[in-house]
Amino acid sequence: MFRFQHSKLAVLVACTVFAVGVQAKAPPDEVAKLGLTGTPLTPVGAERAGSKDGVIPEWTGGITTPPAGYKTGMHHPNPFPNDKPLFTITAKNYKDYADKLSAGQQAMFARHPDWRMVVYPTRRSASYPQRTYEMTMKNAATGDLVDDGEGVANVAEGLPFPILDKDPTKAGMEAIWNHKLKFKGVTFERWNDQAIPTSSGQYTLIRFHEFGLGLYYKPGNTLKDIHNILLYFLEDVVSPPRLAGQVLLVHETLDSKKEPRQAWIYNPGQRRVRRAPNVAYDNPGTASDGLRTNDMTDMFNGALNKYNWKLVGKKEMYVPYNSYKAHSDKTLVKDLIQPNFINPDLLRYELHRVWIVEADLKPGQRHINPKRTFYLDEDSWQILEIDHYDSQGKLWRYSEAPSVNYYEVPVFWSTLEIAYDLKAGRYLVQGLDNQEPEYNFSYPATPDMFSPQALRTRGIQ
């Protein structure tokens, strides 16, 4: 399937790094464990072997060839059409599976007796481009945290920390950085539609047209080349009419201690571009009715400085995975959305190993969620689930990210992001592109289109 042994490459990379006297993040014997074949760890640091009971299979490269008939631009067809459900977890039996469920999932069963999780065979489908693997293994030998964990150094293009530090605090931050810097393509254009159903299931679809440019991922770029900009992001609100015309521009910085995120908003009523310093942390996301904070986009984004982070460990858990039914253009949005929760028959859960990271608010800091628990897929570093707690230490919200492999990149990334409010019994879902054009990972984006002046021009048009 692949043309050369990455285990040999990993050893070569490690030896080269030490030969020139660079301070290494991980020792050569640890770096040498990374590889595409024949090594204990995959190129991104996951355990290659399956579970002892065989439920989790060995990682053999993930999806590297799209299903027959797939063409770029299509909604991605299910690569496992013949898979049948193994069993269903319900409010009646969930305690039998409690050791493999998050606190948020258990709370969903307690809050909504009709909610269920349909469990399928485990498919380790996550994959990245070969260059991402190569750069990730280089980063393993050199990468480090800087500025109290607010930045990274001596890394480029790939995941920064495939081998986590032995210190739980550093390891917790490194795991979150792996999610933040996971490859998503250099550019993208997408329709990221959002709905907030009422208790009866009624909703108004809010249509966002979004564009992104991540120069960190451009082949050959170094941290010096990107000038501390991790991501350029532009969001047009297309409908409904009462919101249409609003435009959000974000310059997401890599090291927020050196320079915090820069954001601007175009207001069509005022026909003006204004700075938007509140587009961060726990301020409400656009048109979210308070059900999604800004730092919940992409499950987590932005600065790490409000929390103390801790890696709890790795565990086998039932998580949303290979959610191709929910992603399909043959699935109608109205079929996905139900009162109280997304249609469980259109979701898929599998048993996977996940990294667990806890975030506790630092003394003197403020956030509506003083504690969060993150669950990250070992094969992709995608955050798949989050438990959000309130100021009394009680579970408040549960978030999950049903994900798929986008074959044309390839990358394993969310197709939906769902935030359940366990107190109010409401939820928000975004990523509803079933009847929209599919992701365009070849959009011809340049930094010029993400300037504040371009924002005003775009808004007027």
Side-chain angles (χ1 to χ4, degrees), residues 261-408:
R261 166 187 293 170
Q262 304 294 306
W264 298 262
I265 289 179
Y266 175 79
N267 186 306
Q270 299 175 343
R271 298 174 68 87
R272 292 182 60 185
V273 174
R274 293 193 175 189
R275 287 270 191 174
N278 61 338
V279 179
Y281 299 116
D282 60 354
N283 288 288
T286 304
S288 67
D289 204 15
L291 293 177
R292 175 177 60 83
T293 59
N294 279 302
D295 62 6
M296 288 170 65
T297 298
D298 196 23
M299 297 303 280
F300 180 81
N301 71 90
L304 281 68
N305 60 347
K306 284 188 176 289
Y307 292 98
N308 289 314
W309 301 85
K310 179 182 178 181
L311 179 72
V312 176
K314 186 187 287 186
K315 186 177 180 181
E316 295 180 6
M317 297 185 66
Y318 294 110
V319 291
Y321 220 93
N322 292 315
S323 304
Y324 290 94
K325 283 186 181 179
H327 174 77
S328 174
D329 57 348
K330 296 179 177 60
T331 296
L332 302 180
V333 170
K334 68 180 181 64
D335 295 329
L336 273 166
I337 296 177
Q338 293 185 344
N340 303 320
F341 44 77
I342 290 292
N343 186 346
D345 293 329
L346 296 175
L347 296 178
R348 172 175 175 145
Y349 294 85
E350 301 178 4
L351 187 68
H352 285 262
R353 290 184 292 244
V354 296
W355 294 103
I356 303 175
V357 176
E358 289 184 351
D360 290 286
L361 199 64
K362 292 179 178 178
Q365 294 285 353
R366 293 183 178 181
H367 196 287
I368 64 170
N369 298 123
K371 179 180 178 179
R372 287 161 149 172
T373 304
F374 298 82
Y375 304 87
L376 297 85
D377 173 35
E378 71 164 343
D379 287 334
S380 65
W381 296 98
Q382 170 69 40
I383 297 173
L384 294 174
E385 301 174 7
I386 311 172
D387 297 331
H388 308 263
Y389 293 82
D390 64 17
S391 58
Q392 282 75 47
K394 296 180 179 180
L395 194 60
W396 181 5
R397 290 171 174 163
Y398 165 66
S399 300
E400 64 178 25
S403 299
V404 299
N405 188 309
Y406 294 83
Y407 311 131
E408 68 273 40

Side-chain angles (χ1 to χ4, degrees), residues 209-222:
H209 198 187
E210 299 178 344
F211 307 83
L213 170 62
L215 295 179
Y216 174 83
Y217 310 107
K218 183 178 180 181
N221 269 4
T222 66

Side-chain angles (χ1 to χ4, degrees), residues 233-251:
F233 176 76
L234 187 69
E235 177 186 80
D236 285 333
V237 183
V238 178
S239 65
R242 62 184 175 83
L243 299 173
Q246 295 182 33
V247 189
L248 170 66
L249 171 65
V250 176
H251 291 182

Side-chain angles (χ1 to χ4, degrees), residues 2 4-11 30-48 59-61 133 137 162-163:
F2 297 96
F4 60 89
Q5 296 282 340
H6 272 256
S7 56
K8 296 179 180 179
L9 174 64
V11 174
E30 291 294 315
V31 177
K33 293 179 180 179
L34 303 169
L36 271 171
T37 59
T39 53
L41 302 179
T42 73
V44 302
E47 296 175 51
R48 180 181 305 281
W59 185 81
T60 56
Y133 290 141
M137 289 189 288
I163 298 174

